[in-house]
Amino acid sequence: MENHPYKKFQNTKVWQVVEQSIFDLEENQDLKLLTIKEYIIGFICKKLDDNKLLKNTTKTENGNS
């Protein structure tokens, strides 16, 4: 999905970790998503950022800064 309110977190390391975690939970059938994945990942990233748990939201080596 290209357009969502969490674009600033996309292509960051935290996004990748959250995305992989959700993927693992889906693969284990421990989680079934009813919402668009980008909104779930973005929401978690935003909550981590809001609570000052992220150092920064810079892009990964492969992304733009």
Side-chain angles (χ1 to χ4, degrees):
M1 170 176 237
E2 290 295 320
N3 195 12
H4 56 79
Y6 306 108
K7 293 291 279 184
K8 81 174 199 173
F9 298 108
Q10 204 165 0
N11 299 317
T12 62
K13 181 68 175 175
V14 70
W15 184 282
Q16 291 174 352
V17 170
V18 171
E19 182 176 43
Q20 184 62 53
S21 299
I22 289 172
F23 176 80
D24 292 345
L25 288 168
E26 285 181 298
E27 284 292 302
N28 292 335
Q29 298 181 350
D30 291 327
L31 180 69
K32 182 176 180 179
L33 300 181
L34 301 177
T35 303
I36 298 168
K37 191 177 296 186
E38 287 81 4
Y39 280 81
I40 295 168
I41 297 166
F43 180 82
I44 293 169
C45 291
K46 182 181 183 312
K47 287 297 186 179
L48 291 169
D49 191 45
D50 289 349
N51 286 281
K52 311 285 190 252
L53 296 172
L54 302 180
K55 289 183 181 181
N56 58 46
T57 56
T58 57
K59 303 291 183 179
T60 60
E61 293 176 18
N62 296 331
N64 299 324
S65 55

